[in-house]
Amino acid sequence: MADLGADVVKVEPPEGDPQRALHNSLNAYDAAPKPHIEIPNRGKRSITVDLRIPAGQQVLHRLAGAADVFLTSYLPAVRRRLHLDVDDLVAVNPQLIYVRGSGWGSRGTMADVGGFDMAAAWAAAGTQHKLTPPGSDEPITQPAAFFDLQGSNVIAGAVAMALFRRERSDRGAVIDVSLLNTGMWAMGPDLFAAAQGGLPRQKPAHREQPDRQYLPHQRRPMAQSGVPAS
């Protein structure tokens, strides 16, 4: 949302965002750039607030009272303990757009379970299974922050729609986006095919062979230019 022009204030605990300590391929030395923290936080302002104490909670409530949107990835028990759940913040700002990012959604038996991008890639849609070639000794490495980054785009779109609705109705909103749902949407055609008895993964494609995703009777002859013949 910062890339789209929003003024984003990130609230971090005194220990800092745990992602700041995430090691990756560039961490050859401690001062090396960290893409996993730099990319998703580009353009944001940041403050440190200890939400475990009443004074810190009051600071957050003042921020929420003047904000259009509040976004958190804390689990339900933590939100209640820190007094930043929906009812807490809507009480200070009835028109607030409240966004919850989670691993497995806000309902069901896993609503209180933390999420992890790679776990979602396996459990939500079988992405790693699909990408791993048959006969491999181990699964292929997952693209970094695959559903995390897709989920952020979903959140941005949902927030834009909620703000538009608020302009028309003066009503706030509660938005839920999960890694599970994001993964299932991204892999929707594969899940649909599997439910209809299709293969668990598509066969490898080869440039020298015709496109395998179309049946022979559906394929039209190709002109020399590569454009389907009329």
Side-chain angles (χ1 to χ4, degrees), residues 43 57 63 65 69 85 87 89 95 114 119 124 132 134 155 172 185 192 200 205 230:
Q57 295 165 13
L63 284 171
V69 181
D85 216 345
D87 292 340
L89 299 191
Q95 293 182 315
T132 301
I155 286 174
W185 172 252
F192 179 84
S230 59

Side-chain angles (χ1 to χ4, degrees), residues 143-229:
F146 190 59
F147 292 140
D148 284 345
L149 294 178
Q150 289 193 56
S152 68
N153 290 329
V154 175
I155 286 174
V159 166
M161 293 300 297
L163 290 170
F164 176 78
R165 187 185 75 162
R166 193 180 69 178
E167 289 295 318
R168 296 293 183 88
S169 66
D170 291 330
R171 294 164 52 196
V174 177
I175 295 171
D176 283 298
V177 174
S178 70
L179 293 173
L180 174 66
N181 182 261
T182 301
M184 293 181 69
W185 172 252
M187 299 292 290
D190 298 87
L191 295 176
F192 179 84
Q196 300 301 314
L199 297 174
R201 60 159 66 88
Q202 293 181 359
K203 295 181 180 180
H206 301 280
R207 295 180 60 187
E208 68 275 9
Q209 296 180 1
D211 193 339
R212 298 186 178 191
Q213 64 179 317
Y214 298 103
L215 297 176
H217 71 274
Q218 295 176 317
R219 187 175 296 114
R220 293 180 290 171
M222 302 294 289
Q224 291 294 326
S225 63
V227 178

Side-chain angles (χ1 to χ4, degrees), residues 49-50 53-60 62:
V49 179
D50 191 345
I53 61 176
Q57 295 165 13
Q58 292 172 9
V59 170
L60 185 70
R62 288 202 300 270

Side-chain angles (χ1 to χ4, degrees), residues 22-38:
L22 181 64
H23 283 263
N24 53 66
S25 58
L26 290 183
N27 293 146
Y29 52 93
D30 290 340
K34 297 178 173 60
H36 288 150
I37 190 69
E38 299 290 347

